[in-house]
Amino acid sequence: MIVDGEQWERLADVPRLLGSRPAATIRAWVRSGRVRAIRLGDGGHREVYVAITDVLAADASTPRRRARHRRVT
C-alpha cells in the first residue's frame, strides 16, 4: 500500500517480502518506536501496517547475531 508516496506493508508479510528479520523482531521495533506502524480494521479483525523505509533502516543499523559455535567433545 502506498500512502503519501511511501510504501507500507502488512507486518505479517514483511519477513516474507524482504527476507529479513522475523516478525517478532519487527514487532519489537514497532513497540520501541524505531518503526512507524498503523493499525487498520475494526475490533474483530485488525491488521498492522509498517513503513518499509523504517524497517530497512532498522535492519541496516542492527547487527545480526551469530550462531554459537558448538564444541564437539
Side-chain angles (χ1 to χ4, degrees), residues 22-60:
T25 301
I26 299 169
R27 262 186 246 113
W29 289 342
V30 168
R31 280 193 302 271
S32 71
R34 289 179 72 183
V35 172
R36 291 174 293 148
I38 54 172
R39 289 166 183 82
L40 299 176
D42 58 3
H45 181 69
R46 204 173 270 199
E47 291 184 336
V48 177
Y49 285 81
V50 294
I52 293 297
T53 54
D54 292 353
V55 172
L56 293 174
D59 188 41

Side-chain angles (χ1 to χ4, degrees), residues 1 7 12 21-22 27 36 40-41 73:
M1 164 171 61
Q7 184 177 356
R21 312 280 177 145
R27 262 186 246 113
R36 291 174 293 148
L40 299 176
T73 56

